[in-house]
Coordinates of all heavy atoms in Angstrom, one line a residue:
M1 N -16.5 40.4 18.4 CA -15.9 40.5 17.1 C -14.9 39.4 16.9 O -14.9 38.7 15.8 CB -15.3 41.9 16.9 CG -15.1 42.3 15.5 SD -16.7 42.4 14.7 CE -16.2 43.3 13.3
K2 N -14.1 39.2 17.9 CA -13.1 38.1 17.8 C -13.7 36.7 17.7 O -13.2 35.9 17.1 CB -12.1 38.2 19.0 CG -11.2 39.4 19.0 CD -10.2 39.3 20.2 CE -9.3 40.5 20.1 NZ -8.4 40.5 21.3
A3 N -14.8 36.6 18.4 CA -15.5 35.3 18.4 C -16.0 35.0 17.0 O -16.0 33.8 16.6 CB -16.6 35.3 19.4
M4 N -16.5 36.0 16.3 CA -17.0 35.8 14.9 C -15.9 35.3 14.0 O -16.1 34.4 13.2 CB -17.7 37.1 14.4 CG -18.9 37.5 15.2 SD -20.3 36.5 14.8 CE -20.9 37.4 13.5
K5 N -14.7 36.0 14.1 CA -13.6 35.6 13.3 C -13.1 34.2 13.6 O -12.8 33.4 12.7 CB -12.4 36.6 13.5 CG -12.7 37.9 12.9 CD -11.5 38.9 13.1 CE -11.7 40.2 12.5 NZ -10.6 41.1 12.7
A6 N -13.1 33.8 14.9 CA -12.7 32.5 15.2 C -13.7 31.4 14.7 O -13.3 30.4 14.2 CB -12.7 32.4 16.8
M7 N -15.0 31.7 14.7 CA -16.0 30.8 14.1 C -15.8 30.6 12.6 O -15.9 29.5 12.1 CB -17.4 31.3 14.4 CG -17.8 31.3 15.9 SD -17.9 29.6 16.5 CE -19.5 29.2 15.8
K8 N -15.5 31.7 11.9 CA -15.3 31.7 10.5 C -14.1 30.8 10.2 O -14.1 30.0 9.3 CB -15.1 33.1 9.9 CG -16.4 33.8 9.7 CD -16.1 35.1 8.9 CE -17.4 35.9 8.7 NZ -17.2 37.1 8.0
A9 N -13.0 31.0 11.0 CA -11.8 30.2 10.8 C -12.1 28.7 11.0 O -11.6 27.9 10.3 CB -10.7 30.7 11.7
M10 N -12.8 28.4 12.0 CA -13.2 27.0 12.3 C -14.0 26.4 11.2 O -13.7 25.2 10.8 CB -14.0 26.9 13.6 CG -13.1 27.2 14.9 SD -11.9 26.0 15.2 CE -12.9 24.6 15.8
K11 N -14.9 27.1 10.7 CA -15.7 26.6 9.6 C -14.9 26.3 8.3 O -15.1 25.3 7.7 CB -16.9 27.6 9.2 CG -18.0 27.6 10.3 CD -19.1 28.5 9.9 CE -20.3 28.5 10.9 NZ -21.4 29.4 10.5
T12 N -14.0 27.3 8.0 CA -13.2 27.1 6.8 C -12.2 25.9 7.0 O -12.0 25.1 6.1 CB -12.4 28.3 6.4 OG1 -11.6 28.7 7.6 CG2 -13.3 29.5 6.0
M13 N -11.7 25.7 8.2 CA -10.8 24.6 8.5 C -11.6 23.3 8.4 O -11.1 22.3 7.8 CB -10.2 24.8 9.9 CG -9.0 23.9 10.1 SD -8.0 24.4 11.4 CE -8.9 24.0 12.9
K14 N -12.8 23.2 8.9 CA -13.6 22.0 8.8 C -13.9 21.7 7.3 O -13.8 20.5 6.9 CB -14.9 22.2 9.6 CG -14.8 22.0 11.0 CD -16.1 22.1 11.7 CE -16.0 21.9 13.2 NZ -17.3 22.0 13.9
A15 N -14.2 22.7 6.5 CA -14.4 22.4 5.1 C -13.2 21.9 4.4 O -13.3 21.0 3.6 CB -14.9 23.7 4.4
A16 N -12.0 22.5 4.8 CA -10.8 22.0 4.2 C -10.5 20.6 4.6 O -10.0 19.8 3.7 CB -9.6 22.9 4.6
M17 N -10.7 20.2 5.8 CA -10.4 18.9 6.3 C -11.4 17.9 5.6 O -11.0 16.8 5.3 CB -10.6 18.8 7.8 CG -9.4 19.5 8.5 SD -9.6 19.5 10.3 CE -9.3 17.8 10.7
K18 N -12.6 18.3 5.4 CA -13.6 17.4 4.8 C -13.2 17.1 3.3 O -13.3 16.0 2.8 CB -15.0 18.1 4.8 CG -16.1 17.2 4.4 CD -17.5 17.9 4.7 CE -18.6 16.9 4.4 NZ -19.9 17.6 4.6
A19 N -12.7 18.2 2.6 CA -12.2 18.0 1.3 C -11.0 17.0 1.2 O -10.9 16.2 0.3 CB -11.9 19.3 0.7
M20 N -10.1 17.2 2.2 CA -9.0 16.3 2.2 C -9.4 14.8 2.5 O -8.8 13.9 1.9 CB -8.0 16.7 3.3 CG -7.2 18.0 2.9 SD -6.3 18.7 4.3 CE -5.1 17.4 4.6
K21 N -10.3 14.6 3.3 CA -10.8 13.2 3.6 C -11.4 12.6 2.4 O -11.2 11.4 2.1 CB -11.8 13.2 4.7 CG -11.2 13.4 6.1 CD -12.2 13.3 7.2 CE -11.6 13.5 8.5 NZ -12.6 13.4 9.6
S22 N -12.2 13.4 1.6 CA -12.8 12.9 0.4 C -11.8 12.5 -0.7 O -12.0 11.6 -1.4 CB -13.8 13.9 -0.2 OG -13.2 15.0 -0.7
K23 N -10.7 13.2 -0.7 CA -9.6 12.9 -1.7 C -9.0 11.5 -1.3 O -8.6 10.8 -2.2 CB -8.5 14.0 -1.7 CG -8.9 15.2 -2.4 CD -7.8 16.2 -2.4 CE -8.3 17.5 -3.1 NZ -7.2 18.5 -3.1
K24 N -8.8 11.3 0.0 CA -8.2 10.0 0.4 C -9.0 8.8 0.0 O -8.5 7.8 -0.4 CB -8.0 10.0 1.9 CG -6.8 10.9 2.4 CD -6.6 10.7 3.9 CE -5.5 11.6 4.3 NZ -5.3 11.5 5.8
K25 N -10.3 8.9 0.1 CA -11.2 7.8 -0.2 C -11.2 7.5 -1.7 O -11.5 6.4 -2.1 CB -12.6 8.1 0.3 CG -12.8 8.1 1.8 CD -14.2 8.4 2.2 CE -14.3 8.6 3.7 NZ -15.7 9.0 4.1
A26 N -11.0 8.6 -2.5 CA -11.1 8.4 -4.0 C -10.0 7.5 -4.6 O -10.3 7.0 -5.6 CB -11.1 9.8 -4.6
M27 N -8.9 7.4 -4.0 CA -7.8 6.7 -4.5 C -8.0 5.2 -4.3 O -8.0 4.7 -3.2 CB -6.5 7.1 -3.9 CG -6.0 8.5 -4.3 SD -4.3 8.7 -3.9 CE -4.1 10.4 -4.4
K28 N -8.1 4.5 -5.4 CA -8.2 3.0 -5.4 C -7.4 2.4 -6.5 O -7.2 3.0 -7.5 CB -9.7 2.6 -5.6 CG -10.4 2.3 -4.3 CD -11.7 1.6 -4.6 CE -12.4 1.2 -3.3 NZ -13.7 0.5 -3.6
S29 N -6.8 1.3 -6.2 CA -6.0 0.6 -7.3 C -6.9 -0.2 -8.2 O -8.0 -0.6 -7.8 CB -4.9 -0.2 -6.6 OG -5.5 -1.3 -5.9
M30 N -6.4 -0.4 -9.4 CA -7.1 -1.2 -10.4 C -7.0 -2.7 -10.0 O -6.0 -3.2 -9.6 CB -6.5 -1.0 -11.8 CG -6.8 0.3 -12.4 SD -6.0 0.5 -14.0 CE -6.9 -0.5 -15.0
G31 N -8.1 -3.4 -10.2 CA -8.1 -4.8 -10.0 C -7.7 -5.5 -11.2 O -7.4 -4.9 -12.3
K32 N -7.6 -6.8 -11.1 CA -7.2 -7.6 -12.3 C -8.1 -7.5 -13.4 O -7.7 -7.4 -14.6 CB -7.0 -9.1 -11.8 CG -6.4 -10.0 -12.8 CD -5.9 -11.3 -12.3 CE -7.0 -12.2 -11.8 NZ -6.7 -13.5 -11.5
G33 N -9.4 -7.5 -13.1 CA -10.4 -7.4 -14.2 C -10.3 -6.0 -14.9 O -10.5 -5.9 -16.2
A34 N -10.1 -5.0 -14.2 CA -10.0 -3.6 -14.8 C -8.7 -3.5 -15.6 O -8.7 -2.9 -16.7 CB -9.9 -2.6 -13.7
I35 N -7.6 -4.2 -15.2 CA -6.4 -4.2 -16.0 C -6.6 -5.0 -17.3 O -6.2 -4.6 -18.4 CB -5.2 -4.8 -15.2 CG1 -4.9 -3.9 -14.0 CG2 -4.0 -5.0 -16.1 CD1 -3.9 -4.5 -13.0
A36 N -7.4 -6.1 -17.2 CA -7.7 -6.9 -18.4 C -8.5 -6.1 -19.3 O -8.3 -6.1 -20.6 CB -8.4 -8.2 -17.9
E37 N -9.5 -5.4 -18.8 CA -10.4 -4.5 -19.7 C -9.6 -3.5 -20.4 O -9.8 -3.2 -21.6 CB -11.5 -3.9 -18.9 CG -12.6 -4.9 -18.4 CD -13.3 -5.6 -19.6 OE1 -13.5 -5.0 -20.6 OE2 -13.6 -6.8 -19.4
A38 N -8.6 -2.8 -19.7 CA -7.8 -1.8 -20.3 C -6.9 -2.4 -21.4 O -6.7 -1.8 -22.5 CB -6.9 -1.1 -19.3
A39 N -6.4 -3.6 -21.2 CA -5.5 -4.3 -22.2 C -6.3 -4.7 -23.4 O -5.8 -4.7 -24.5 CB -4.8 -5.5 -21.5
I40 N -7.6 -5.1 -23.2 CA -8.4 -5.6 -24.3 C -8.6 -4.4 -25.3 O -8.5 -4.6 -26.5 CB -9.8 -6.1 -23.8 CG1 -9.6 -7.4 -23.1 CG2 -10.8 -6.2 -24.9 CD1 -10.8 -7.9 -22.3
G41 N -8.9 -3.2 -24.8 CA -9.1 -2.1 -25.6 C -7.9 -1.7 -26.5 O -8.0 -1.3 -27.6
D42 N -6.7 -1.9 -25.9 CA -5.5 -1.6 -26.7 C -5.0 -2.7 -27.6 O -4.5 -2.4 -28.7 CB -4.4 -1.2 -25.7 CG -4.7 0.0 -24.9 OD1 -5.5 0.8 -25.3 OD2 -4.0 0.2 -23.8
S43 N -5.2 -3.9 -27.2 CA -4.6 -5.0 -28.0 C -5.5 -5.8 -28.9 O -5.0 -6.3 -29.9 CB -4.0 -6.0 -27.0 OG -5.0 -6.7 -26.3
G44 N -6.8 -5.8 -28.6 CA -7.7 -6.5 -29.5 C -7.8 -8.0 -29.1 O -8.4 -8.8 -29.9
L45 N -7.2 -8.4 -28.0 CA -7.3 -9.8 -27.6 C -8.6 -10.1 -26.9 O -9.2 -9.1 -26.4 CB -6.1 -10.1 -26.6 CG -4.7 -10.1 -27.2 CD1 -3.7 -10.2 -26.1 CD2 -4.5 -11.2 -28.2
K46 N -8.9 -11.3 -26.7 CA -10.1 -11.7 -26.0 C -9.8 -11.6 -24.5 O -8.7 -11.7 -24.0 CB -10.5 -13.1 -26.3 CG -11.0 -13.3 -27.7 CD -11.5 -14.7 -28.0 CE -11.9 -14.9 -29.4 NZ -12.3 -16.3 -29.7
R47 N -10.9 -11.4 -23.7 CA -10.8 -11.3 -22.2 C -10.1 -12.5 -21.6 O -9.3 -12.4 -20.7 CB -12.2 -11.1 -21.6 CG -12.1 -10.9 -20.1 CD -13.5 -10.6 -19.6 NE -13.5 -10.7 -18.1 CZ -13.2 -9.7 -17.3 NH1 -12.7 -8.6 -17.8 NH2 -13.2 -9.9 -16.0
S48 N -10.5 -13.7 -22.1 CA -10.0 -15.0 -21.5 C -8.5 -15.1 -21.8 O -7.7 -15.5 -20.9 CB -10.7 -16.2 -22.1 OG -10.5 -16.2 -23.5
Q49 N -8.0 -14.6 -22.9 CA -6.6 -14.6 -23.3 C -5.8 -13.7 -22.3 O -4.8 -14.0 -21.8 CB -6.4 -14.3 -24.7 CG -6.9 -15.3 -25.7 CD -6.8 -14.7 -27.1 OE1 -7.0 -13.6 -27.4 NE2 -6.6 -15.7 -28.1
V50 N -6.4 -12.5 -22.1 CA -5.7 -11.5 -21.3 C -5.6 -12.0 -19.9 O -4.6 -11.8 -19.2 CB -6.4 -10.1 -21.4 CG1 -5.8 -9.1 -20.4 CG2 -6.3 -9.6 -22.8
M51 N -6.7 -12.6 -19.4 CA -6.7 -13.1 -18.0 C -5.7 -14.3 -17.8 O -5.1 -14.3 -16.8 CB -8.2 -13.6 -17.6 CG -9.2 -12.5 -17.5 SD -8.7 -11.3 -16.2 CE -9.3 -12.1 -14.8
K52 N -5.6 -15.1 -18.8 CA -4.6 -16.2 -18.8 C -3.2 -15.6 -18.7 O -2.3 -16.1 -17.9 CB -4.7 -17.1 -20.0 CG -5.8 -18.1 -19.9 CD -5.9 -18.9 -21.2 CE -7.1 -19.8 -21.2 NZ -7.2 -20.6 -22.4
I53 N -2.9 -14.5 -19.5 CA -1.6 -13.9 -19.4 C -1.3 -13.3 -18.1 O -0.2 -13.4 -17.5 CB -1.5 -12.8 -20.5 CG1 -1.5 -13.4 -21.9 CG2 -0.3 -11.9 -20.3 CD1 -1.7 -12.5 -23.1
L54 N -2.3 -12.6 -17.5 CA -2.2 -12.0 -16.2 C -1.9 -13.0 -15.1 O -1.1 -12.8 -14.2 CB -3.4 -11.1 -15.8 CG -3.5 -9.8 -16.5 CD1 -4.8 -9.1 -16.2 CD2 -2.4 -8.9 -16.2
N55 N -2.7 -14.1 -15.2 CA -2.5 -15.2 -14.2 C -1.1 -15.8 -14.3 O -0.4 -16.1 -13.3 CB -3.5 -16.3 -14.4 CG -4.9 -15.9 -13.9 OD1 -5.0 -15.0 -13.0 ND2 -5.9 -16.5 -14.5
A56 N -0.6 -16.0 -15.5 CA 0.7 -16.6 -15.8 C 1.8 -15.6 -15.3 O 2.8 -16.0 -14.7 CB 0.9 -16.9 -17.2
L57 N 1.6 -14.3 -15.5 CA 2.5 -13.3 -15.0 C 2.6 -13.3 -13.5 O 3.7 -13.2 -12.9 CB 2.1 -12.0 -15.6 CG 3.1 -10.8 -15.5 CD1 4.3 -11.1 -16.3 CD2 2.4 -9.5 -16.0
G58 N 1.5 -13.4 -12.9 CA 1.4 -13.5 -11.4 C 2.2 -14.7 -10.9 O 2.9 -14.6 -9.9
E59 N 2.0 -15.9 -11.5 CA 2.6 -17.1 -11.1 C 4.2 -17.0 -11.3 O 4.9 -17.4 -10.4 CB 2.1 -18.3 -11.8 CG 0.7 -18.7 -11.5 CD 0.1 -19.7 -12.4 OE1 0.9 -20.3 -13.2 OE2 -1.1 -20.0 -12.3
V60 N 4.6 -16.5 -12.4 CA 6.0 -16.3 -12.7 C 6.6 -15.3 -11.7 O 7.7 -15.5 -11.2 CB 6.2 -15.8 -14.1 CG1 7.7 -15.4 -14.4 CG2 5.9 -16.9 -15.1
G61 N 5.9 -14.2 -11.4 CA 6.4 -13.2 -10.5 C 6.6 -13.8 -9.1 O 7.6 -13.6 -8.4
A62 N 5.6 -14.5 -8.6 CA 5.6 -15.1 -7.3 C 6.8 -16.1 -7.2 O 7.5 -16.2 -6.2 CB 4.3 -15.8 -7.0
K63 N 7.0 -16.9 -8.3 CA 8.1 -17.9 -8.3 C 9.4 -17.2 -8.2 O 10.3 -17.6 -7.5 CB 7.9 -18.8 -9.5 CG 8.9 -19.9 -9.7 CD 8.6 -20.7 -11.0 CE 9.8 -21.6 -11.3 NZ 9.6 -22.2 -12.6
E64 N 9.6 -16.2 -9.0 CA 10.9 -15.4 -9.1 C 11.2 -14.8 -7.8 O 12.3 -14.8 -7.3 CB 10.9 -14.4 -10.2 CG 11.1 -15.0 -11.6 CD 12.5 -15.6 -11.7 OE1 13.5 -14.9 -11.3 OE2 12.6 -16.7 -12.1
V65 N 10.2 -14.1 -7.2 CA 10.4 -13.4 -5.9 C 10.8 -14.5 -4.8 O 11.7 -14.2 -4.0 CB 9.2 -12.6 -5.5 CG1 9.3 -12.2 -4.0 CG2 9.0 -11.4 -6.4
K66 N 10.2 -15.6 -4.8 CA 10.5 -16.7 -3.9 C 11.9 -17.2 -4.0 O 12.6 -17.4 -3.1 CB 9.4 -17.8 -4.0 CG 9.2 -18.5 -2.7 CD 8.0 -19.5 -2.9 CE 7.3 -19.6 -1.6 NZ 6.2 -20.6 -1.8
S67 N 12.3 -17.4 -5.3 CA 13.6 -18.0 -5.6 C 14.8 -17.0 -5.5 O 15.7 -17.2 -4.8 CB 13.6 -18.8 -6.9 OG 13.4 -17.8 -7.9
S68 N 14.7 -15.9 -6.2 CA 15.8 -15.0 -6.3 C 15.6 -13.7 -5.5 O 16.5 -13.0 -5.2 CB 16.0 -14.6 -7.8 OG 15.0 -13.8 -8.3
G69 N 14.4 -13.5 -5.0 CA 14.1 -12.3 -4.2 C 13.9 -11.0 -5.0 O 13.7 -10.0 -4.4
K70 N 13.8 -11.2 -6.3 CA 13.6 -10.0 -7.1 C 12.8 -10.3 -8.4 O 13.1 -11.4 -9.0 CB 15.0 -9.4 -7.5 CG 14.9 -8.1 -8.2 CD 16.4 -7.6 -8.4 CE 16.5 -6.3 -9.1 NZ 17.8 -5.9 -9.3
F71 N 11.9 -9.5 -8.8 CA 11.1 -9.7 -10.0 C 11.0 -8.3 -10.7 O 10.5 -7.4 -10.1 CB 9.7 -10.3 -9.7 CG 8.9 -10.4 -10.9 CD1 9.2 -11.3 -12.0 CD2 7.7 -9.7 -11.1 CE1 8.4 -11.5 -13.1 CE2 6.9 -9.8 -12.2 CZ 7.3 -10.7 -13.2
V72 N 11.3 -8.3 -12.0 CA 11.3 -7.0 -12.7 C 10.4 -7.1 -13.9 O 10.5 -8.0 -14.7 CB 12.7 -6.6 -13.1 CG1 12.6 -5.2 -13.9 CG2 13.6 -6.4 -11.9
L73 N 9.4 -6.2 -14.1 CA 8.7 -6.0 -15.3 C 9.3 -4.7 -15.9 O 9.0 -3.6 -15.4 CB 7.2 -5.8 -15.0 CG 6.3 -7.0 -14.9 CD1 4.9 -6.6 -14.5 CD2 6.3 -7.8 -16.1
P74 N 10.1 -4.9 -17.0 CA 10.8 -3.7 -17.5 C 9.9 -2.6 -17.9 O 8.9 -2.8 -18.6 CB 11.5 -4.3 -18.7 CG 11.7 -5.7 -18.5 CD 10.4 -6.1 -17.7
G75 N 10.2 -1.4 -17.4 CA 9.4 -0.2 -17.6 C 8.1 -0.1 -16.8 O 7.4 0.9 -17.0
V76 N 7.9 -1.1 -15.9 CA 6.6 -1.1 -15.1 C 7.0 -1.0 -13.6 O 6.7 -0.1 -13.0 CB 5.7 -2.3 -15.5 CG1 4.5 -2.2 -14.6 CG2 5.4 -2.3 -16.9
C77 N 7.6 -2.1 -13.1 CA 7.9 -2.2 -11.7 C 9.0 -3.1 -11.4 O 9.3 -4.0 -12.2 CB 6.6 -2.5 -10.9 SG 6.1 -4.2 -11.2
M78 N 9.5 -3.1 -10.2 CA 10.4 -4.0 -9.6 C 10.0 -4.4 -8.2 O 9.7 -3.5 -7.4 CB 11.8 -3.4 -9.6 CG 12.8 -4.4 -9.0 SD 14.6 -3.9 -9.2 CE 14.6 -2.2 -8.7
I79 N 9.9 -5.7 -8.0 CA 9.5 -6.2 -6.7 C 10.7 -6.9 -6.0 O 11.3 -7.7 -6.7 CB 8.3 -7.2 -6.8 CG1 7.1 -6.5 -7.5 CG2 7.9 -7.7 -5.4 CD1 6.0 -7.5 -7.9
K80 N 11.0 -6.4 -4.8 CA 12.2 -7.0 -4.1 C 11.7 -7.5 -2.7 O 10.9 -6.9 -2.1 CB 13.3 -6.0 -3.9 CG 14.1 -5.6 -5.0 CD 15.2 -4.7 -4.5 CE 15.9 -3.9 -5.6 NZ 16.9 -3.0 -5.1
T81 N 12.3 -8.6 -2.3 CA 12.1 -9.0 -0.9 C 13.1 -8.3 0.0 O 14.2 -8.0 -0.5 CB 12.2 -10.5 -0.7 OG1 13.5 -10.9 -1.2 CG2 11.1 -11.2 -1.4
R82 N 12.7 -8.0 1.2 CA 13.6 -7.3 2.1 C 13.9 -8.2 3.3 O 12.9 -8.7 3.9 CB 13.0 -6.0 2.6 CG 14.0 -5.1 3.2 CD 13.3 -3.8 3.5 NE 12.5 -4.0 4.7 CZ 11.8 -3.0 5.3 NH1 11.8 -1.8 4.8 NH2 11.1 -3.2 6.4
L83 N 15.1 -8.4 3.7 CA 15.4 -9.3 4.8 C 15.5 -8.4 6.1 O 16.2 -7.4 6.1 CB 16.7 -10.0 4.7 CG 16.8 -11.0 3.5 CD1 18.2 -11.6 3.4 CD2 15.8 -12.1 3.8
K84 N 14.7 -8.7 7.1 CA 14.7 -8.0 8.3 C 15.3 -8.8 9.4 O 15.0 -10.0 9.6 CB 13.2 -7.6 8.6 CG 13.0 -6.6 9.7 CD 11.6 -6.3 9.9 CE 11.4 -5.3 11.0 NZ 10.0 -5.0 11.2
K85 N 16.2 -8.2 10.2 CA 16.9 -8.9 11.2 C 15.9 -9.3 12.3 O 15.0 -8.6 12.6 CB 18.0 -8.1 11.8 CG 19.1 -7.8 10.8 CD 20.2 -7.0 11.5 CE 21.3 -6.7 10.5 NZ 22.4 -5.8 11.1
A86 N 16.2 -10.4 13.0 CA 15.4 -10.9 14.1 C 15.6 -10.0 15.3 O 16.8 -9.5 15.5 CB 15.7 -12.3 14.4
T87 N 14.6 -9.8 16.1 CA 14.8 -9.0 17.3 C 15.1 -10.0 18.5 O 14.5 -11.1 18.6 CB 13.5 -8.2 17.7 OG1 12.5 -9.1 17.8 CG2 13.2 -7.2 16.7
K88 N 16.1 -9.6 19.3 CA 16.5 -10.5 20.4 C 15.6 -10.3 21.6 O 15.1 -9.2 21.8 CB 18.0 -10.2 20.7 CG 19.0 -10.5 19.6 CD 20.4 -10.2 20.0 CE 21.3 -10.5 18.9 NZ 22.7 -10.2 19.2
A89 N 15.5 -11.3 22.4 CA 14.8 -11.2 23.6 C 15.6 -10.4 24.6 O 16.8 -10.4 24.6 CB 14.5 -12.5 24.2
G90 N 14.9 -9.6 25.5 CA 15.6 -8.8 26.4 C 14.7 -7.8 27.1 O 13.5 -8.0 27.1
K91 N 15.3 -6.8 27.8 CA 14.5 -5.8 28.4 C 14.8 -4.5 27.8 O 15.9 -4.1 27.5 CB 14.9 -5.7 29.9 CG 14.6 -7.0 30.7 CD 15.1 -6.9 32.1 CE 14.8 -8.2 32.8 NZ 15.3 -8.2 34.2
K92 N 13.7 -3.7 27.5 CA 13.8 -2.4 26.9 C 13.1 -1.4 27.8 O 12.1 -1.7 28.4 CB 13.3 -2.4 25.5 CG 14.1 -3.2 24.5 CD 13.6 -3.0 23.1 CE 14.4 -3.8 22.1 NZ 13.9 -3.7 20.8
M93 N 13.5 -0.1 27.6 CA 12.8 0.9 28.3 C 11.7 1.5 27.4 O 12.0 2.0 26.3 CB 13.7 2.1 28.7 CG 14.7 1.7 29.8 SD 13.9 1.4 31.4 CE 13.4 3.1 31.8
L94 N 10.4 1.4 27.7 CA 9.3 1.9 26.9 C 8.5 2.8 27.8 O 8.0 2.4 28.8 CB 8.5 0.8 26.4 CG 9.1 -0.1 25.3 CD1 8.2 -1.3 25.0 CD2 9.5 0.6 24.1
F95 N 8.4 4.1 27.4 CA 7.6 5.0 28.2 C 8.0 5.1 29.7 O 7.2 5.2 30.5 CB 6.1 4.8 28.1 CG 5.7 4.7 26.6 CD1 5.3 3.5 26.1 CD2 5.6 5.8 25.8 CE1 4.8 3.4 24.8 CE2 5.2 5.7 24.5 CZ 4.8 4.5 24.0
G96 N 9.3 5.0 29.9 CA 9.8 5.1 31.3 C 9.7 3.9 32.1 O 10.0 3.9 33.3
K97 N 9.3 2.8 31.5 CA 9.1 1.5 32.3 C 10.0 0.5 31.6 O 10.2 0.5 30.4 CB 7.7 1.1 32.3 CG 6.7 2.0 33.1 CD 5.3 1.4 33.0 CE 4.4 2.4 33.8 NZ 3.0 1.9 33.8
E98 N 10.5 -0.4 32.4 CA 11.3 -1.5 31.8 C 10.3 -2.7 31.5 O 9.6 -3.1 32.3 CB 12.3 -2.0 32.9 CG 13.4 -2.8 32.3 CD 14.5 -3.1 33.2 OE1 15.3 -2.2 33.5 OE2 14.6 -4.2 33.7
V99 N 10.4 -3.1 30.2 CA 9.5 -4.1 29.7 C 10.3 -5.3 29.1 O 11.3 -5.1 28.4 CB 8.6 -3.5 28.6 CG1 7.6 -4.5 28.1 CG2 7.8 -2.3 29.1
K100 N 9.8 -6.5 29.4 CA 10.4 -7.7 28.8 C 9.9 -7.8 27.4 O 8.7 -7.7 27.1 CB 10.1 -8.9 29.6 CG 10.8 -9.0 30.9 CD 10.4 -10.3 31.6 CE 11.1 -10.4 32.9 NZ 10.7 -11.7 33.6
V101 N 10.9 -8.0 26.4 CA 10.5 -8.2 25.0 C 10.8 -9.6 24.6 O 12.0 -10.1 24.8 CB 11.3 -7.1 24.2 CG1 11.0 -7.3 22.7 CG2 11.0 -5.7 24.7
K102 N 9.9 -10.2 23.9 CA 10.1 -11.6 23.4 C 10.9 -11.5 22.1 O 10.9 -10.6 21.4 CB 8.8 -12.3 23.2 CG 8.0 -12.5 24.4 CD 6.7 -13.3 24.1 CE 5.9 -13.5 25.3 NZ 4.6 -14.2 25.0
A103 N 11.6 -12.6 21.8 CA 12.4 -12.7 20.6 C 11.4 -12.9 19.4 O 10.4 -13.7 19.6 CB 13.3 -13.9 20.7
K104 N 11.7 -12.3 18.3 CA 10.9 -12.5 17.1 C 11.8 -12.9 16.0 O 12.8 -12.4 15.8 CB 10.2 -11.1 16.7 CG 9.2 -10.6 17.7 CD 8.6 -9.3 17.3 CE 7.8 -8.7 18.4 NZ 7.3 -7.4 18.0
P105 N 11.4 -14.0 15.3 CA 12.2 -14.5 14.2 C 12.3 -13.6 13.0 O 11.6 -12.7 12.8 CB 11.5 -15.8 13.8 CG 10.2 -15.7 14.4 CD 10.1 -14.7 15.5

């Protein structure tokens, strides 16, 4: 009797895990073309015009992030660069063993 209950529990758990895996695969971000198509429907502009705007926006964003470290699209997003300190060379304890660590810029 206990074995039957355990088998049922395993089957329901497998089904739940399968459902969770399928949800993970479903999430995808929109590409540039999909964003352009969505903007065309709302604005009435031509596809080539919208693509030029998206390309220009990408170039301006890259330039701003490179120069000032921050780019903001008001009401949409903010992109910031993060400065990470360099790791020094030395010896560290990893999993109970002493390991030499190289310096990373």
